[in-house]
PDB file of all heavy atoms in Angstrom:
ATOM      1  N   ASN A1428     -38.878  97.190-104.138  1.00 50.00           N
ATOM      2  CA  ASN A1428     -38.480  95.948-104.606  1.00 50.00           C
ATOM      3  C   ASN A1428     -39.062  95.644-105.988  1.00 50.00           C
ATOM      4  O   ASN A1428     -40.267  95.246-106.119  1.00 50.00           O
ATOM      5  CB  ASN A1428     -38.973  94.806-103.627  1.00 50.00           C
ATOM      6  CG  ASN A1428     -38.288  94.996-102.240  1.00 50.00           C
ATOM      7  OD1 ASN A1428     -37.166  95.360-102.209  1.00 50.00           O
ATOM      8  ND2 ASN A1428     -38.953  94.672-101.171  1.00 50.00           N
ATOM      9  N   SER A1429     -38.195  95.941-106.939  1.00 50.00           N
ATOM     10  CA  SER A1429     -38.642  95.750-108.414  1.00 50.00           C
ATOM     11  C   SER A1429     -38.028  94.467-108.858  1.00 50.00           C
ATOM     12  O   SER A1429     -36.859  94.183-108.612  1.00 50.00           O
ATOM     13  CB  SER A1429     -38.250  96.886-109.236  1.00 50.00           C
ATOM     14  OG  SER A1429     -38.532  96.582-110.550  1.00 50.00           O
ATOM     15  N   PRO A1430     -38.808  93.700-109.580  1.00 51.00           N
ATOM     16  CA  PRO A1430     -38.277  92.394-110.148  1.00 51.00           C
ATOM     17  C   PRO A1430     -37.217  92.683-111.214  1.00 51.00           C
ATOM     18  O   PRO A1430     -36.425  91.836-111.537  1.00 51.00           O
ATOM     19  CB  PRO A1430     -39.461  91.623-110.584  1.00 51.00           C
ATOM     20  CG  PRO A1430     -40.488  92.716-110.852  1.00 51.00           C
ATOM     21  CD  PRO A1430     -40.230  93.782-109.848  1.00 51.00           C
ATOM     22  N   ARG A1431     -37.345  93.909-111.729  1.00 54.00           N
ATOM     23  CA  ARG A1431     -36.338  94.302-112.859  1.00 54.00           C
ATOM     24  C   ARG A1431     -35.025  94.835-112.284  1.00 54.00           C
ATOM     25  O   ARG A1431     -34.323  95.263-113.010  1.00 54.00           O
ATOM     26  CB  ARG A1431     -37.038  95.237-113.774  1.00 54.00           C
ATOM     27  CG  ARG A1431     -38.314  94.665-114.384  1.00 54.00           C
ATOM     28  CD  ARG A1431     -39.035  95.739-115.296  1.00 54.00           C
ATOM     29  NE  ARG A1431     -38.115  96.134-116.383  1.00 54.00           N
ATOM     30  CZ  ARG A1431     -38.208  95.645-117.540  1.00 54.00           C
ATOM     31  NH1 ARG A1431     -39.114  94.736-117.818  1.00 54.00           N
ATOM     32  NH2 ARG A1431     -37.311  96.070-118.533  1.00 54.00           N
ATOM     33  N   THR A1432     -35.038  95.030-110.978  1.00 57.00           N
ATOM     34  CA  THR A1432     -33.748  95.677-110.438  1.00 57.00           C
ATOM     35  C   THR A1432     -32.875  94.607-109.757  1.00 57.00           C
ATOM     36  O   THR A1432     -33.377  93.796-108.960  1.00 57.00           O
ATOM     37  CB  THR A1432     -34.146  96.675-109.383  1.00 57.00           C
ATOM     38  OG1 THR A1432     -35.007  97.635-109.965  1.00 57.00           O
ATOM     39  CG2 THR A1432     -32.891  97.278-108.813  1.00 57.00           C
ATOM     40  N   VAL A1433     -31.599  94.537-110.124  1.00 57.00           N
ATOM     41  CA  VAL A1433     -30.666  93.538-109.698  1.00 57.00           C
ATOM     42  C   VAL A1433     -29.610  94.196-108.847  1.00 57.00           C
ATOM     43  O   VAL A1433     -28.897  95.163-109.378  1.00 57.00           O
ATOM     44  CB  VAL A1433     -30.013  92.776-110.782  1.00 57.00           C
ATOM     45  CG1 VAL A1433     -28.986  91.716-110.261  1.00 57.00           C
ATOM     46  CG2 VAL A1433     -31.032  92.096-111.676  1.00 57.00           C
ATOM     47  N   PRO A1434     -29.405  93.855-107.565  1.00 63.00           N
ATOM     48  CA  PRO A1434     -28.397  94.501-106.751  1.00 63.00           C
ATOM     49  C   PRO A1434     -27.053  94.052-107.179  1.00 63.00           C
ATOM     50  O   PRO A1434     -26.830  93.007-107.578  1.00 63.00           O
ATOM     51  CB  PRO A1434     -28.732  94.156-105.346  1.00 63.00           C
ATOM     52  CG  PRO A1434     -29.404  92.843-105.511  1.00 63.00           C
ATOM     53  CD  PRO A1434     -30.244  92.897-106.832  1.00 63.00           C
ATOM     54  N   TYR A1435     -26.008  95.015-107.206  1.00 64.00           N
ATOM     55  CA  TYR A1435     -24.671  94.684-107.620  1.00 64.00           C
ATOM     56  C   TYR A1435     -23.634  95.130-106.533  1.00 64.00           C
ATOM     57  O   TYR A1435     -23.718  96.236-106.050  1.00 64.00           O
ATOM     58  CB  TYR A1435     -24.398  95.454-108.866  1.00 64.00           C
ATOM     59  CG  TYR A1435     -22.925  95.285-109.415  1.00 64.00           C
ATOM     60  CD1 TYR A1435     -22.625  94.053-110.055  1.00 64.00           C
ATOM     61  CD2 TYR A1435     -21.958  96.249-109.225  1.00 64.00           C
ATOM     62  CE1 TYR A1435     -21.349  93.885-110.489  1.00 64.00           C
ATOM     63  CE2 TYR A1435     -20.684  96.022-109.679  1.00 64.00           C
ATOM     64  CZ  TYR A1435     -20.324  94.840-110.339  1.00 64.00           C
ATOM     65  OH  TYR A1435     -19.018  94.647-110.749  1.00 64.00           O
ATOM     66  N   LEU A1436     -22.785  94.216-106.073  1.00 72.00           N
ATOM     67  CA  LEU A1436     -21.754  94.504-105.044  1.00 72.00           C
ATOM     68  C   LEU A1436     -20.435  94.708-105.748  1.00 72.00           C
ATOM     69  O   LEU A1436     -19.938  93.957-106.542  1.00 72.00           O
ATOM     70  CB  LEU A1436     -21.690  93.306-104.120  1.00 72.00           C
ATOM     71  CG  LEU A1436     -22.962  93.038-103.348  1.00 72.00           C
ATOM     72  CD1 LEU A1436     -22.714  91.871-102.293  1.00 72.00           C
ATOM     73  CD2 LEU A1436     -23.391  94.250-102.462  1.00 72.00           C
ATOM     74  N   MET A1437     -19.723  95.808-105.399  1.00 74.00           N
ATOM     75  CA  MET A1437     -18.395  96.049-105.880  1.00 74.00           C
ATOM     76  C   MET A1437     -17.418  95.092-105.190  1.00 74.00           C
ATOM     77  O   MET A1437     -17.357  94.950-104.060  1.00 74.00           O
ATOM     78  CB  MET A1437     -17.940  97.500-105.603  1.00 74.00           C
ATOM     79  CG  MET A1437     -18.834  98.570-106.438  1.00 74.00           C
ATOM     80  SD  MET A1437     -18.499  98.252-108.219  1.00 74.00           S
ATOM     81  CE  MET A1437     -16.836  98.771-108.280  1.00 74.00           C
ATOM     82  N   PRO A1438     -16.696  94.455-106.049  1.00 76.00           N
ATOM     83  CA  PRO A1438     -15.603  93.496-105.490  1.00 76.00           C
ATOM     84  C   PRO A1438     -14.444  94.295-104.823  1.00 76.00           C
ATOM     85  O   PRO A1438     -14.111  95.366-105.229  1.00 76.00           O
ATOM     86  CB  PRO A1438     -15.237  92.619-106.675  1.00 76.00           C
ATOM     87  CG  PRO A1438     -15.382  93.664-107.878  1.00 76.00           C
ATOM     88  CD  PRO A1438     -16.525  94.432-107.453  1.00 76.00           C
ATOM     89  N   GLU A1439     -13.893  93.646-103.810  1.00 78.00           N
ATOM     90  CA  GLU A1439     -12.623  94.157-103.144  1.00 78.00           C
ATOM     91  C   GLU A1439     -11.486  93.460-103.804  1.00 78.00           C
ATOM     92  O   GLU A1439     -11.331  92.299-103.765  1.00 78.00           O
ATOM     93  CB  GLU A1439     -12.714  93.946-101.752  1.00 78.00           C
ATOM     94  CG  GLU A1439     -11.460  94.561-100.991  1.00 78.00           C
ATOM     95  CD  GLU A1439     -11.459  94.387 -99.514  1.00 78.00           C
ATOM     96  OE1 GLU A1439     -12.503  93.819 -99.043  1.00 78.00           O
ATOM     97  OE2 GLU A1439     -10.572  94.714 -98.762  1.00 78.00           O
ATOM     98  N   VAL A1440     -10.642  94.292-104.491  1.00 77.00           N
ATOM     99  CA  VAL A1440      -9.447  93.727-105.250  1.00 77.00           C
ATOM    100  C   VAL A1440      -8.216  93.788-104.370  1.00 77.00           C
ATOM    101  O   VAL A1440      -7.771  94.759-103.800  1.00 77.00           O
ATOM    102  CB  VAL A1440      -9.283  94.440-106.534  1.00 77.00           C
ATOM    103  CG1 VAL A1440      -8.085  93.879-107.206  1.00 77.00           C
ATOM    104  CG2 VAL A1440     -10.514  94.503-107.316  1.00 77.00           C
ATOM    105  N   ARG A1441      -7.642  92.578-104.217  1.00 78.00           N
ATOM    106  CA  ARG A1441      -6.429  92.423-103.401  1.00 78.00           C
ATOM    107  C   ARG A1441      -5.326  91.781-104.323  1.00 78.00           C
ATOM    108  O   ARG A1441      -5.341  90.581-104.706  1.00 78.00           O
ATOM    109  CB  ARG A1441      -6.486  91.570-102.211  1.00 78.00           C
ATOM    110  CG  ARG A1441      -7.426  92.120-101.197  1.00 78.00           C
ATOM    111  CD  ARG A1441      -7.541  91.289 -99.962  1.00 78.00           C
ATOM    112  NE  ARG A1441      -8.513  91.813 -99.027  1.00 78.00           N
ATOM    113  CZ  ARG A1441      -8.787  91.136 -97.774  1.00 78.00           C
ATOM    114  NH1 ARG A1441      -8.219  90.015 -97.526  1.00 78.00           N
ATOM    115  NH2 ARG A1441      -9.652  91.759 -96.976  1.00 78.00           N
ATOM    116  N   PRO A1442      -4.369  92.610-104.698  1.00 78.00           N
ATOM    117  CA  PRO A1442      -3.216  91.972-105.708  1.00 78.00           C
ATOM    118  C   PRO A1442      -2.384  90.956-104.983  1.00 78.00           C
ATOM    119  O   PRO A1442      -2.126  91.072-103.774  1.00 78.00           O
ATOM    120  CB  PRO A1442      -2.492  93.251-106.063  1.00 78.00           C
ATOM    121  CG  PRO A1442      -2.604  94.141-104.956  1.00 78.00           C
ATOM    122  CD  PRO A1442      -4.001  93.951-104.376  1.00 78.00           C
ATOM    123  N   TYR A1443      -2.024  89.901-105.716  1.00 72.00           N
ATOM    124  CA  TYR A1443      -1.218  88.838-105.180  1.00 72.00           C
ATOM    125  C   TYR A1443      -0.370  88.366-106.334  1.00 72.00           C
ATOM    126  O   TYR A1443      -0.765  88.044-107.431  1.00 72.00           O
ATOM    127  CB  TYR A1443      -2.086  87.714-104.730  1.00 72.00           C
ATOM    128  CG  TYR A1443      -1.284  86.467-104.331  1.00 72.00           C
ATOM    129  CD1 TYR A1443      -0.635  86.399-103.072  1.00 72.00           C
ATOM    130  CD2 TYR A1443      -1.152  85.346-105.144  1.00 72.00           C
ATOM    131  CE1 TYR A1443       0.204  85.265-102.712  1.00 72.00           C
ATOM    132  CE2 TYR A1443      -0.373  84.288-104.792  1.00 72.00           C
ATOM    133  CZ  TYR A1443       0.243  84.194-103.524  1.00 72.00           C
ATOM    134  OH  TYR A1443       0.980  83.204-103.166  1.00 72.00           O
ATOM    135  N   ILE A1444       0.924  88.393-106.141  1.00 72.00           N
ATOM    136  CA  ILE A1444       1.936  88.084-107.173  1.00 72.00           C
ATOM    137  C   ILE A1444       2.386  86.624-107.002  1.00 72.00           C
ATOM    138  O   ILE A1444       2.850  86.247-105.922  1.00 72.00           O
ATOM    139  CB  ILE A1444       3.167  89.015-107.110  1.00 72.00           C
ATOM    140  CG1 ILE A1444       2.848  90.437-107.348  1.00 72.00           C
ATOM    141  CG2 ILE A1444       4.291  88.542-108.213  1.00 72.00           C
ATOM    142  CD1 ILE A1444       3.925  91.397-107.171  1.00 72.00           C
ATOM    143  N   ASN A1445       2.208  85.801-108.008  1.00 72.00           N
ATOM    144  CA  ASN A1445       2.600  84.384-107.986  1.00 72.00           C
ATOM    145  C   ASN A1445       4.050  84.314-108.273  1.00 72.00           C
ATOM    146  O   ASN A1445       4.514  84.437-109.365  1.00 72.00           O
ATOM    147  CB  ASN A1445       1.760  83.582-108.976  1.00 72.00           C
ATOM    148  CG  ASN A1445       1.906  82.139-108.795  1.00 72.00           C
ATOM    149  OD1 ASN A1445       2.803  81.726-108.088  1.00 72.00           O
ATOM    150  ND2 ASN A1445       1.100  81.332-109.441  1.00 72.00           N
ATOM    151  N   LEU A1446       4.922  84.039-107.267  1.00 68.00           N
ATOM    152  CA  LEU A1446       6.334  84.000-107.515  1.00 68.00           C
ATOM    153  C   LEU A1446       6.777  82.867-108.269  1.00 68.00           C
ATOM    154  O   LEU A1446       7.898  82.881-108.924  1.00 68.00           O
ATOM    155  CB  LEU A1446       7.000  83.969-106.095  1.00 68.00           C
ATOM    156  CG  LEU A1446       6.823  85.197-105.216  1.00 68.00           C
ATOM    157  CD1 LEU A1446       7.539  85.017-103.899  1.00 68.00           C
ATOM    158  CD2 LEU A1446       7.311  86.410-105.902  1.00 68.00           C
ATOM    159  N   THR A1447       6.063  81.723-108.295  1.00 70.00           N
ATOM    160  CA  THR A1447       6.479  80.616-109.155  1.00 70.00           C
ATOM    161  C   THR A1447       6.359  80.943-110.662  1.00 70.00           C
ATOM    162  O   THR A1447       7.073  80.430-111.424  1.00 70.00           O
ATOM    163  CB  THR A1447       5.512  79.413-108.934  1.00 70.00           C
ATOM    164  OG1 THR A1447       4.217  79.791-109.175  1.00 70.00           O
ATOM    165  CG2 THR A1447       5.656  79.005-107.369  1.00 70.00           C
ATOM    166  N   ILE A1448       5.465  81.875-111.068  1.00 70.00           N
ATOM    167  CA  ILE A1448       5.376  82.295-112.492  1.00 70.00           C
ATOM    168  C   ILE A1448       6.540  83.182-112.839  1.00 70.00           C
ATOM    169  O   ILE A1448       7.140  83.155-113.924  1.00 70.00           O
ATOM    170  CB  ILE A1448       4.063  82.896-112.743  1.00 70.00           C
ATOM    171  CG1 ILE A1448       2.970  81.872-112.455  1.00 70.00           C
ATOM    172  CG2 ILE A1448       4.017  83.429-114.134  1.00 70.00           C
ATOM    173  CD1 ILE A1448       1.535  82.417-112.736  1.00 70.00           C
ATOM    174  N   LEU A1449       6.963  84.095-111.805  1.00 67.00           N
ATOM    175  CA  LEU A1449       8.000  85.042-112.106  1.00 67.00           C
ATOM    176  C   LEU A1449       9.424  84.439-112.071  1.00 67.00           C
ATOM    177  O   LEU A1449      10.252  85.015-112.542  1.00 67.00           O
ATOM    178  CB  LEU A1449       7.903  86.143-111.115  1.00 67.00           C
ATOM    179  CG  LEU A1449       6.677  87.032-111.126  1.00 67.00           C
ATOM    180  CD1 LEU A1449       6.657  88.143-110.038  1.00 67.00           C
ATOM    181  CD2 LEU A1449       6.414  87.646-112.525  1.00 67.00           C
ATOM    182  N   LYS A1450       9.574  83.184-111.524  1.00 69.00           N
ATOM    183  CA  LYS A1450      10.821  82.570-111.271  1.00 69.00           C
ATOM    184  C   LYS A1450      11.368  82.168-112.738  1.00 69.00           C
ATOM    185  O   LYS A1450      10.704  81.494-113.549  1.00 69.00           O
ATOM    186  CB  LYS A1450      10.719  81.429-110.448  1.00 69.00           C
ATOM    187  CG  LYS A1450      12.011  80.639-110.165  1.00 69.00           C
ATOM    188  CD  LYS A1450      11.821  79.453-109.275  1.00 69.00           C
ATOM    189  CE  LYS A1450      13.162  78.749-109.008  1.00 69.00           C
ATOM    190  NZ  LYS A1450      12.930  77.560-108.169  1.00 69.00           N
ATOM    191  N   GLY A1451      12.608  82.554-112.982  1.00 72.00           N
ATOM    192  CA  GLY A1451      13.280  82.291-114.297  1.00 72.00           C
ATOM    193  C   GLY A1451      13.836  80.889-114.465  1.00 72.00           C
ATOM    194  O   GLY A1451      13.729  80.101-113.602  1.00 72.00           O
ATOM    195  N   ASP A1452      14.448  80.595-115.557  1.00 76.00           N
ATOM    196  CA  ASP A1452      15.083  79.263-115.830  1.00 76.00           C
ATOM    197  C   ASP A1452      16.419  79.239-114.997  1.00 76.00           C
ATOM    198  O   ASP A1452      16.910  80.230-114.676  1.00 76.00           O
ATOM    199  CB  ASP A1452      15.401  79.115-117.263  1.00 76.00           C
ATOM    200  CG  ASP A1452      14.083  79.148-118.171  1.00 76.00           C
ATOM    201  OD1 ASP A1452      12.978  78.794-117.606  1.00 76.00           O
ATOM    202  OD2 ASP A1452      14.107  79.457-119.264  1.00 76.00           O
ATOM    203  N   LYS A1453      16.788  77.936-114.800  1.00 81.00           N
ATOM    204  CA  LYS A1453      18.010  77.684-114.066  1.00 81.00           C
ATOM    205  C   LYS A1453      19.256  78.122-114.822  1.00 81.00           C
ATOM    206  O   LYS A1453      19.300  77.839-116.024  1.00 81.00           O
ATOM    207  CB  LYS A1453      18.079  76.191-113.676  1.00 81.00           C
ATOM    208  CG  LYS A1453      19.273  75.864-112.858  1.00 81.00           C
ATOM    209  CD  LYS A1453      19.316  74.399-112.474  1.00 81.00           C
ATOM    210  CE  LYS A1453      20.490  74.020-111.575  1.00 81.00           C
ATOM    211  NZ  LYS A1453      20.563  72.571-111.308  1.00 81.00           N
ATOM    212  N   GLY A1454      20.087  78.856-114.175  1.00 82.00           N
ATOM    213  CA  GLY A1454      21.293  79.361-114.919  1.00 82.00           C
ATOM    214  C   GLY A1454      22.356  78.314-115.033  1.00 82.00           C
ATOM    215  O   GLY A1454      22.250  77.229-114.581  1.00 82.00           O
ATOM    216  N   ASP A1455      23.434  78.749-115.818  1.00 84.00           N
ATOM    217  CA  ASP A1455      24.546  77.769-116.061  1.00 84.00           C
ATOM    218  C   ASP A1455      25.406  77.629-114.727  1.00 84.00           C
ATOM    219  O   ASP A1455      25.467  78.569-113.876  1.00 84.00           O
ATOM    220  CB  ASP A1455      25.461  78.419-117.122  1.00 84.00           C
ATOM    221  CG  ASP A1455      24.708  78.464-118.478  1.00 84.00           C
ATOM    222  OD1 ASP A1455      23.717  77.675-118.703  1.00 84.00           O
ATOM    223  OD2 ASP A1455      25.086  79.246-119.315  1.00 84.00           O
ATOM    224  N   GLN A1456      26.105  76.548-114.714  1.00 86.00           N
ATOM    225  CA  GLN A1456      26.920  76.259-113.559  1.00 86.00           C
ATOM    226  C   GLN A1456      28.128  77.252-113.594  1.00 86.00           C
ATOM    227  O   GLN A1456      28.742  77.417-114.561  1.00 86.00           O
ATOM    228  CB  GLN A1456      27.394  74.814-113.596  1.00 86.00           C
ATOM    229  CG  GLN A1456      28.175  74.372-112.376  1.00 86.00           C
ATOM    230  CD  GLN A1456      28.655  73.025-112.359  1.00 86.00           C
ATOM    231  OE1 GLN A1456      28.218  72.205-113.275  1.00 86.00           O
ATOM    232  NE2 GLN A1456      29.388  72.524-111.392  1.00 86.00           N
ATOM    233  N   GLY A1457      28.378  77.744-112.366  1.00 85.00           N
ATOM    234  CA  GLY A1457      29.469  78.728-112.258  1.00 85.00           C
ATOM    235  C   GLY A1457      30.884  78.069-112.219  1.00 85.00           C
ATOM    236  O   GLY A1457      30.971  76.836-112.102  1.00 85.00           O
TER     237      GLY A1457
END
Side-chain angles (χ1 to χ4, degrees):
N1428 293 329
S1429 172
R1431 300 175 63 96
T1432 302
V1433 179
Y1435 178 77
L1436 297 178
M1437 290 297 294
E1439 182 178 357
V1440 181
R1441 296 182 182 179
Y1443 174 79
I1444 301 176
N1445 190 349
L1446 298 179
T1447 59
I1448 298 177
L1449 297 180
K1450 183 178 180 181
D1452 297 335
K1453 184 177 180 181
D1455 298 335
Q1456 183 177 358

